């Protein structure tokens, strides 16, 4: 993981302001102990100390933790314990009042947030607080064609070559784009998943979102975003309607656009899997298009098909 990844996260003031507010709301100055899981440059641990945390444990298996230690020394920040390990590998962690873990990906789940937060409950005292607390996943149809232009390359690369098989691979992927409200269909976004990080859950998630389309349109794909409650009243959102973050949004393409008539129904089903033997995520999505009682089309895409190694 390069320093550029951390630079982009530290440049994201929406993200930092939300975590700072959550820590300030939760930490009892001079009393609370904190675990920063996935500490990276140590920024959340430093914010926790600034908010009055008595002691902070920083967990990260990456070499960036040495940089965190150097930054702490240069800034005279004490009360820190550096643990260069994945939290999942720590056998008997000291129990703390607050666990903070920022391991959220663009899709939310691809950086191991489900596995890390489910396991992080071991690090908490019985009445301890987990930050973040819960998440909702949202979807909306995309009617702008501007993300489709990237796929046109497969038709334009060479007039003598039929590259449709490569184009199919390309569409079976999820893309990070800055999606604007004007890219979305004029229909309410729908929630396709929700979970409480302090509950019980697995890395297999599935849900659906149903849209009744009010007007004739053409749907090219779907926008996904998440809304994560760090603590009650502090929500970090990657919605196209919210201030922009470094996560932007996810674009899920379709194999074929949907030609929509007023009143048509579109059912989007999404399934994702993390926590397997291999790192990373599997995502599949199905779009079913109905007009009244008639099924017009069903298409399923899968990033496993798009992953050609
Ligand atoms: C998104 S970065 C966040 C870094 C820092 N907390 C911040 O807010 O800028 C996630 C970091 O978590 C680390 N990480 C991911 N899962 C972890 C786990 N289970 N235990 C410890 N570190 C983890 C990664 O190595 C990476 O440095």
């Amino acid at each position: 993981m390069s320093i550029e990844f951390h630079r982009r996260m530290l440049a994201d003031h929406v993200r930092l302001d939300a975590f700072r507010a959550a820590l300030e709301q939760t930490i009892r100055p001079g009393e609370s102990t904190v675990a920063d899981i996935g500490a990276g440059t140590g920024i959340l641990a430093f914010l926790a100390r600034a908010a009055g945390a008595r002691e902070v444990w920083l967990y990260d298996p990456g070499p960036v933790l040495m940089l965190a230690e150097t930054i702490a020394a240069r800034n005279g920040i004490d009360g820190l314990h550096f643990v260069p390990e994945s939290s999942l590998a720590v056998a008997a962690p000291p129990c703390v009042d607050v666990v903070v873990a920022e391991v959220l990906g663009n899709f939310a789940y691809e950086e191991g947030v489900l596995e890390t937060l489910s396991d992080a409950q071991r690090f908490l005292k019985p009445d301890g607080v987990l930050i973040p607390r819960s998440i909702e996943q949202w979807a909306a149809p995309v009617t702008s064609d501007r993300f489709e232009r990237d796929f046109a390359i497969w038709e334009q690369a060479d007039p003598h070559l039929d590259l449709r098989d490569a184009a199919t691979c390309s569409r079976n992927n999820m893309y990070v784009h800055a999606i604007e409200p004007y890219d979305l269909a004029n229909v309410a976004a729908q929630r396709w998943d929700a979970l409480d990080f302090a509950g019980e859950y697995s890395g297999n998630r599935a849900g659906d979102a149903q849209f009744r389309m009010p007007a004739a349109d053409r749907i090219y794909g779907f926008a996904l975003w998440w809304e994560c409650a760090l603590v009650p009243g502090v929500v970090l959102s990657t919605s196209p309607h919210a201030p922009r973050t470094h996560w932007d949004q996810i674009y899920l393409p379709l194999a074929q656009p949907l030609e929509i008539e007023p009143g048509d129904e579109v059912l989007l089903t999404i399934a994702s899997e993390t926590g397997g033997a291999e790192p990373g995520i599997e995502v599949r999505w199905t779009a079913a298009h109905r007009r009244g009682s008639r099924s017009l089309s069903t298409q399923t895409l899968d990033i496993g098909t798009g992953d050609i190694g």
Side-chain angles (χ1 to χ4, degrees), residues 1 5-6 9-10 15 36-41 43-44 59-62 64 85-88 102-103 111 116:
M1 203 169 274
F5 176 73
H6 293 282
M9 289 188 294
L10 266 69
R15 181 189 86 109
D36 177 4
I37 294 181
T41 55
I43 184 73
L44 301 184
Y59 299 90
D60 202 309
V64 67
E85 282 188 81
S86 164
S87 59
L88 303 173
E102 200 286 76
V103 283
E111 291 183 20
T116 294

Side-chain angles (χ1 to χ4, degrees), residues 268-303:
L268 172 68
T269 308
I270 303 174
S272 71
E273 289 162 30
T274 54
E278 298 293 318
I281 188 164
E282 284 295 323
V283 182
R284 276 182 307 286
W285 58 104
T286 298
H289 180 192
R290 296 186 69 82
R291 186 164 298 155
S293 57
R294 258 191 321 145
S295 166
L296 298 185
S297 68
T298 300
Q299 40 186 308
T300 297
L301 294 93
D302 183 338
I303 63 172

Side-chain angles (χ1 to χ4, degrees), residues 102-210:
E102 200 286 76
V103 283
L104 291 155
N106 306 79
F107 178 83
Y109 303 152
E110 70 272 36
E111 291 183 20
V113 67
L114 300 175
E115 295 71 27
T116 294
L117 289 187
S118 162
D119 176 72
Q121 297 171 40
R122 288 188 300 127
F123 290 63
L124 277 176
K125 291 180 183 171
D127 56 350
V129 175
L130 188 59
I131 303 174
R133 182 183 178 126
S134 60
I135 194 162
E136 295 183 346
Q137 294 271 23
W138 293 84
V142 171
T143 47
S144 143
D145 68 351
R146 67 188 184 98
F147 310 112
E148 290 294 300
R149 292 175 201 152
D150 293 345
F151 301 119
I153 180 66
W154 299 112
E155 283 162 31
Q156 296 160 355
D158 184 320
H160 307 295
L161 275 179
D162 180 343
L163 294 171
R164 76 179 72 179
D165 304 296
T168 299
C169 283
S170 203
R171 287 186 173 279
N172 280 267
N173 266 298
M174 54 183 195
Y175 292 87
V176 177
H177 282 301
I179 299 177
E180 301 288 346
Y182 60 72
D183 294 314
L184 305 177
N186 186 20
V187 65
Q190 298 294 323
R191 196 175 72 174
W192 69 267
D193 194 18
L195 70 85
D196 177 352
F197 286 126
E200 283 195 15
Y201 45 89
S202 80
N204 294 354
R205 308 298 307 169
D208 51 51
Q210 193 161 354

